[in-house]
Amino acid sequence: MSENRAQNTQKPGTNIFGWPDQMGHFGTYGGRYVAETLMPALLELDTAYRKYVLDESFQKELYGLLKDFAGRPTPLYHAERLSKKTAGGAIYLKREDLLHTGAHKINNTLGQSLLAKHMGKTKVIAETGAGQHGVATATAAAFFGMECKIFMGTEDIRRQAPNVNRMKLLGAEVIPVESGTGTLKDAMNEAMRYWVSTVRDTFYVIGSVAGPHPYPAMVRDFQKVIGEETRRQATEQIGRLPDHLVACVGGGSNAMGLFYPFLNESIRMTGAEAAGRGIETGKHAATLCAGTLGVLHGSKSYLLQDEYGQIKEAHSVSAGLDYPGVGPEHSLFKDFGRVEYVSITDSRALEAFEVLCRTEGIIPALESAHALAAAMDIAANTPADYVIVVNLSGRGDKDLGIVEEVAGA
Amino acid sequence: MNRIEEKFKTLKDKKEKALVGFVTAGDPDPETSESIVTAMCENGVDILELGVPFSDPTADGPVIQRSSARALKAGMRLAGVLEITRRLRKSSEVPIILFSYYNPIMAYGVDRFYKDSLSAGADGVLVVDLPPEESGELTSGWKDDKFCLIRLAAPTTPEDRMRMIAQNASGFLYMVSMTGVTGSGGLDTTEIGDYVEKLKRFTDVPVCVGFGISTPSDVAAISAIADGVVIGSAFERTIEENIENPDIASIIGKQTQAYKDATR
């Protein structure tokens, strides 16, 4: 603790560890940029989170849920045929796609819902893009017997229909959001508006390492189990830590979860953003690669915006990456050069999607396919003993409709 | 004394409450918008709030969301809002508060924003998503009390936090009447009276109440318990209903008069 505090007093730009500070800043990023009505709720959440993160019985209860209900630990799997195909480095997949509900999102929603329960909240809301976070929140809400509303853009409802049905089956109310492009940003706008009106009894389960403090730190802490397990499994299976970690970055929660426990190690890390139809076309979601500093949805971070501070519409074939913002801690990592952020186009992600289906018999989420494409690039230029771990953050059942649509077009 | 302080002093002498009128600058288009705000100033608005349109207004209800979208479509940006302010200032001494989300100000540059707002004749700014914890980066370069940061308190704000907000207040304090977005319904004047009374224990700065106030009788009820009343969505609703109407400015002018009468 005292060590953390010492780090927190350092000036931004001098140390990558120990963030956020007491006010929720990651260097110059993060913070709490919200309407006054929400501030007391964020302060209450911060206090509760600080209390329970150190509480042994809370952590034990959460660990039990992750193990018995969600299916942790997930395998660290050596994708030999995929590695062979790229004829280079050894690609390992961290199989978050095998978790209950089909993605890493459940790690966070169980954590936040358990916290909500301890705080005496009986209603939860969430925004969702691909629907994975919505399904994971609806699942946790069903498990804890909480009332659940999920805000989802109409375009995403169209392209991720199976997840909409899942949420409804789980007892959640799916609220369609028509404003803007009907995608994740718009869903988050509407969820925040609804939260302003219901903040006294409603817990907002944010799905990524984004939003106002304490969400970026809290979601990171609920997701870092991915990296902690990977550390243990790599040591057991290959007798050492991996050389390179790769994950896709929309808001950035699965990447943060994998990277965070390795920050101290001399291991390379790559975050794959969505280049959509190509960064030069303007139709992309590569916030860190092509964005500028701004404030959206409660925190300061890189953003896709015009010169007047109006937020641009993102584009990606993957609904989960289709977001013009990114978690503030990723912005810090970018500035430090700790993580290298690259961008992968829709078509390259679709190629990687197909390759994994055929070589390994695994259908990945289109989000994770971006990470796979980046990993295959890295593997192609590294020797056979170079170990690359890819976070296979979700499974692709939800994407079959969109893949078919693109193939038919 | 800045224009806002002078205004409240005059109102106190006349035993009137302040009518604070909000419209999104540039809605439905820059020219019409300018005639609308001019009509508001000529028909009794005591303080004018000029909304800076933003693509993602997360604290606003559907009415102001649509007005913001119309203004953006018509090309209005922060520089244009300052231009309207500058022209209005030539003919009127009504205090003008810019009402914005933080991102357009950041993109403009906080120092440049301060300098240009002052020179345009604006008297302050209210930044919806900039709580006191984060406001230092905006105000650290401000030199005198000519330009105010209008702070907000909400029904969810506990007393110790109200004290902190009130102690740093300048111009006036904006008491949000309900937990919700702009344009919501369901005013509870008893409850609002309690909030205002609590807030006033910590400060001598005037307290204005906003959110969900739409009729002259609402205005009269709030005038009985606060120093001023903020009307926003109700003006925007009128604009929306009269977009094609050439008399739009005089209609808004009459609406302003009716509200102003209710503050006396």
Side-chain angles (χ1 to χ4, degrees):
Chain A
M1 247 349 245
S2 62
E3 202 180 305
N4 270 350
R5 242 196 312 277
Q7 284 161 352
N8 285 346
T9 59
Q10 298 214 11
K11 281 193 182 124
T14 58
N15 196 324
I16 199 166
F17 305 108
W19 300 102
D21 64 14
Q22 291 291 316
M23 307 293 277
H25 295 118
F26 298 85
T28 51
Y29 306 106
R32 274 175 295 226
Y33 295 84
V34 295
E36 175 57 31
T37 309
L38 295 179
M39 276 305 289
L42 291 174
L43 294 165
E44 181 199 358
L45 178 59
D46 192 24
T47 306
Y49 181 61
R50 280 170 204 268
K51 177 182 162 196
Y52 288 112
V53 76
L54 300 170
D55 183 81
E56 222 170 282
S57 72
F58 179 91
Q59 291 300 337
K60 210 172 151 190
E61 194 177 353
L62 179 57
Y63 176 80
L65 286 172
L66 289 174
K67 179 171 165 286
D68 301 325
F69 182 69
R72 299 213 74 90
T74 60
L76 179 66
Y77 165 72
H78 185 192
E80 289 184 52
R81 282 163 302 277
L82 178 68
S83 307
K84 206 168 182 182
K85 191 176 167 68
T86 50
I91 298 175
Y92 282 71
L93 305 175
K94 180 58 178 162
R95 298 288 310 272
E96 295 296 294
D97 62 314
L98 292 177
L99 280 175
H100 180 39
T101 72
H104 73 291
K105 296 288 186 187
I106 192 85
N107 300 328
N108 171 46
T109 61
L110 284 174
Q112 287 197 43
S113 302
L114 183 63
L115 185 60
K117 188 187 111 179
H118 281 273
M119 290 171 73
K121 308 275 180 182
T122 55
K123 297 176 184 171
V124 295
I125 58 166
E127 82 292 337
T128 197
Q132 293 302 99
H133 175 60
V135 168
T137 304
T139 300
F143 181 89
F144 288 111
M146 291 170 176
E147 200 182 305
C148 178
K149 286 190 170 66
I150 306 291
F151 294 83
M152 188 171 187
T154 45
E155 166 64 9
D156 288 340
I157 287 177
R158 186 190 69 77
R159 58 179 169 172
Q160 309 276 212
N163 275 342
V164 178
N165 293 332
R166 276 188 199 111
M167 288 183 264
K168 287 179 181 164
L169 279 172
L170 291 161
E173 185 186 347
V174 178
I175 299 172
V177 178
E178 284 182 26
S179 58
T181 47
T183 57
L184 181 53
K185 175 189 78 147
D186 312 298
M188 195 149 177
N189 285 345
E190 209 51 42
M192 288 186 82
R193 287 182 191 118
Y194 182 84
W195 197 36
V196 168
S197 313
T198 57
V199 62
R200 285 195 168 103
D201 65 355
T202 301
F203 189 106
Y204 183 9
V205 182
I206 291 183
S208 195
V209 287
H213 179 66
Y215 285 98
M218 179 169 69
V219 176
R220 173 196 75 198
D221 291 346
F222 285 139
Q223 290 292 3
K224 70 183 181 194
V225 62
I226 303 171
E228 285 165 354
E229 268 179 26
T230 303
R231 261 191 100 101
R232 223 171 30 243
Q233 291 166 323
T235 310
E236 281 166 18
Q237 293 174 30
I238 57 174
R240 64 179 178 92
L241 297 183
D243 299 296
H244 207 136
L245 307 174
V246 185
C248 65
V249 178
S253 72
N254 89 77
M256 190 58 69
L258 176 65
F259 296 167
Y260 197 71
F262 291 97
L263 279 185
N264 249 329
E265 311 293 341
S266 54
I267 288 177
R268 288 187 66 185
M269 300 176 184
T270 299
E273 293 194 302
R277 293 179 200 158
I279 288 186
E280 70 288 351
T281 66
K283 297 204 173 298
H284 63 85
T287 312
L288 290 163
C289 293
T292 50
L293 182 64
V295 165
L296 177 69
H297 294 152
S299 65
K300 192 187 277 182
S301 196
Y302 280 87
L303 280 186
L304 299 179
Q305 58 181 332
D306 68 14
E307 59 181 302
Y308 305 106
Q310 308 295 337
I311 311 304
K312 282 188 191 165
E313 286 161 2
H315 169 85
S316 170
V317 68
S318 138
L321 302 182
D322 201 348
Y323 181 65
V326 68
E329 199 164 14
H330 281 292
S331 292
L332 185 75
F333 292 171
K334 176 193 155 83
D335 287 2
F336 272 97
R338 180 64 191 91
V339 178
E340 188 192 352
Y341 296 93
V342 299
S343 66
I344 300 290
T345 59
D346 287 350
S347 56
R348 294 211 51 223
L350 286 159
E351 266 170 45
F353 172 90
E354 214 165 281
V355 168
L356 194 71
C357 291
R358 298 288 172 85
T359 56
E360 296 289 346
I362 297 170
I363 302 175
L366 282 176
E367 290 78 17
S368 320
H370 287 72
L372 276 170
M376 284 158 65
D377 285 348
I378 295 161
N381 295 301
T382 46
D385 62 351
Y386 190 79
V387 174
I388 303 157
V389 173
V390 183
N391 195 354
L392 200 71
S393 55
R395 69 175 184 225
D397 313 39
K398 69 183 176 64
D399 293 316
L400 299 186
I402 193 89
V403 169
E404 206 172 316
E405 198 176 293
V406 174
Chain B
M1 207 183 290
N2 60 40
R3 277 191 202 96
I4 300 172
E5 289 164 346
E6 267 175 43
K7 174 61 78 173
F8 278 103
K9 191 176 171 295
T10 315
L11 287 169
K12 200 171 179 184
D13 293 345
K14 291 201 283 187
K15 294 193 167 32
E16 285 176 20
K17 298 302 173 68
L19 173 65
V20 184
F22 167 96
V23 284
T24 304
D27 176 29
D29 59 72
E31 295 75 41
T32 313
S33 180
E34 203 168 323
S35 67
I36 287 170
V37 293
T38 305
M40 289 168 80
C41 290
E42 286 168 354
N43 286 279
V45 86
D46 294 304
I47 295 172
L48 182 68
E49 279 185 359
L50 274 182
V52 178
F54 181 49
S55 53
D56 294 79
T58 52
D60 284 300
V63 175
I64 294 182
Q65 285 174 47
R66 288 196 296 267
S67 83
S68 203
R70 283 193 299 269
L72 283 176
K73 207 171 167 198
M76 185 56 58
R77 300 292 183 272
L78 179 48
V81 182
L82 293 174
E83 195 44 47
I84 291 181
T85 306
R86 190 186 323 276
R87 283 206 293 273
L88 208 55
R89 186 50 78 223
K90 287 181 185 152
S91 61
S92 172
E93 277 303 301
V94 168
I96 299 172
I97 307 289
L98 305 169
F99 189 104
S100 185
Y101 288 81
Y102 189 43
N103 203 51
I105 296 176
M106 254 184 90
Y108 193 86
V110 291
D111 294 335
R112 182 174 162 227
F113 169 75
Y114 172 66
K115 207 175 98 255
D116 291 358
S117 299
L118 266 182
S119 80
D123 302 286
V125 63
L126 188 159
V127 190
V128 194
D129 53 354
L130 194 71
E133 283 84 349
E134 308 287 355
S135 65
E137 64 186 62
L138 176 65
T139 59
S140 60
W142 295 11
K143 285 174 198 71
D144 50 40
D145 61 355
K146 280 251 156 56
F147 197 68
C148 304
L149 180 68
I150 307 299
R151 294 186 187 276
L152 297 121
T156 50
T157 310
E159 268 193 57
D160 52 345
R161 192 171 164 82
M162 271 192 177
R163 182 183 295 120
M164 181 268 284
I165 292 167
Q167 280 166 353
N168 292 302
S170 63
F172 63 88
L173 273 159
Y174 191 129
M175 181 71 225
V176 176
S177 71
M178 62 182 75
T179 53
V181 292
T182 53
S184 310
L187 273 189
D188 182 338
T189 43
T190 317
E191 210 176 72
I192 297 165
D194 289 346
Y195 301 144
V196 173
E197 203 178 298
K198 260 189 221 160
L199 198 50
K200 280 186 150 303
R201 259 186 265 153
F202 305 122
T203 180
D204 296 326
V205 170
V207 176
C208 298
V209 175
F211 278 45
I213 301 166
S214 60
T215 65
S217 72
D218 292 343
V219 173
I222 299 295
S223 290
I225 53 178
D227 303 306
V229 184
V230 189
I231 308 267
S233 296
F235 281 124
E236 285 297 348
R237 235 172 260 128
T238 306
I239 293 176
E240 196 163 65
E241 285 160 9
N242 292 279
I243 283 185
E244 304 292 337
N245 191 335
D247 297 329
I248 186 167
S250 70
I251 292 168
I252 293 279
K254 285 196 188 94
Q255 191 179 6
T256 309
Q257 270 176 16
Y259 291 140
K260 183 56 211 171
D261 289 345
T263 67
R264 291 183 172 120

